[in-house]
Amino acid sequence: LAKTTQPISMDSYEGQEVNITCSHNNIATNDYITWYQQFPSQGPRFIIQGYKTKVTNEVASLFIPADRKSSTLSLPRVSLSDTAVYYCLVGAYNTNAGKSTFGDGTTLTVKP
Amino acid sequence: SAVISQKPSRDICQRGTSLTIQCQVDSQVTMMFWYRQQPGQSLTLIATANQGSEATYESGFVIDKFPISRPNLTFSTLTVSNMSPEDSSIYLCSVADRMWEDYGYTFGSGTRLTVV
């Protein structure tokens, strides 16, 4: 299973764009990259998932370079409610029972 | 995406007792997982709950301590046995969504366990 490395914490201000980068040097061919958000006293919530290049949904974008050894979650115009822990996961659905290993996560603090 | 109901949401238990946590999914799913999240820490996978067979445990977790049942494709239980204060954690169940490529894994809201 691929090990992921993220910054432990990041600070931002309301209205700014936030980019969180995750390193996953030993990503496997079948692995996807998934980002989750977790608020205190809640389970992680799916944000976005991708395999290569760029993926965008209504809340975030995910940028994956050609070598796939890293990825960047981009949150446009953050608000105070985006203060949370963000986890990057790398794994495949149908290998090793589809499990993925959570890294330490990035605590994002959005300030007014 | 799948919707998970996890019960209880929290409990305070005496050491030496056991607690069974339930995880109900609103659709049939092949893979269900149980995680532990200690205070201020990331999530650690305990085991994969397999329908019709024994659960597959990760290193450091054993069946006698964390027995798991998976009677069907929508339900699983995790029991924390002979509890000690070190078992105080949040326990979460997770499923691989049927549309995994679009929704990844879905998590329950967790069970906050305090052992006194």
Side-chain angles (χ1 to χ4, degrees), chain B residues 78-93:
Chain B
L78 168 75
T79 299
V80 186
S81 303
N82 188 25
M83 289 184 285
S84 67
E86 291 71 34
D87 295 319
S88 297
S89 286
I90 299 172
Y91 293 85
L92 301 108
C93 72

Side-chain angles (χ1 to χ4, degrees), chain A residues 62-103:
Chain A
L62 177 60
F63 299 92
I64 305 169
D67 65 6
R68 303 200 328 122
K69 294 185 176 183
S70 66
S71 58
T72 299
L73 172 72
S74 181
L75 303 173
R77 299 179 300 281
V78 294
S79 64
L80 297 176
S81 62
D82 292 316
T83 294
V85 180
Y86 292 82
Y87 292 99
C88 158
L89 263 76
V90 173
Y93 176 79
N94 60 354
T95 60
N96 295 325
K99 60 190 179 187
S100 301
T101 301
F102 280 81

Side-chain angles (χ1 to χ4, degrees), chain A residues 36 38 49 97-99 103, chain B residues 31 37 42 58 100-102 105:
Chain A
Y36 290 84
Q38 187 178 30
Q49 178 167 277
K99 60 190 179 187
Chain B
M31 289 183 281
Q37 187 172 30
S42 182
E58 297 301 304
W100 182 84
E101 290 187 13
D102 294 327
Y105 299 100

Side-chain angles (χ1 to χ4, degrees), chain B residues 33-65:
Chain B
F33 308 94
W34 287 97
Y35 285 85
R36 182 175 73 183
Q37 187 172 30
Q38 295 178 305
Q41 302 295 314
S42 182
L43 288 83
T44 301
L45 181 64
I46 297 172
T48 301
N50 303 307
Q51 196 268 330
S53 65
E54 277 195 2
T56 305
Y57 290 84
E58 297 301 304
S59 176
F61 298 96
V62 296
I63 187 171
D64 290 346
K65 177 67 176 178

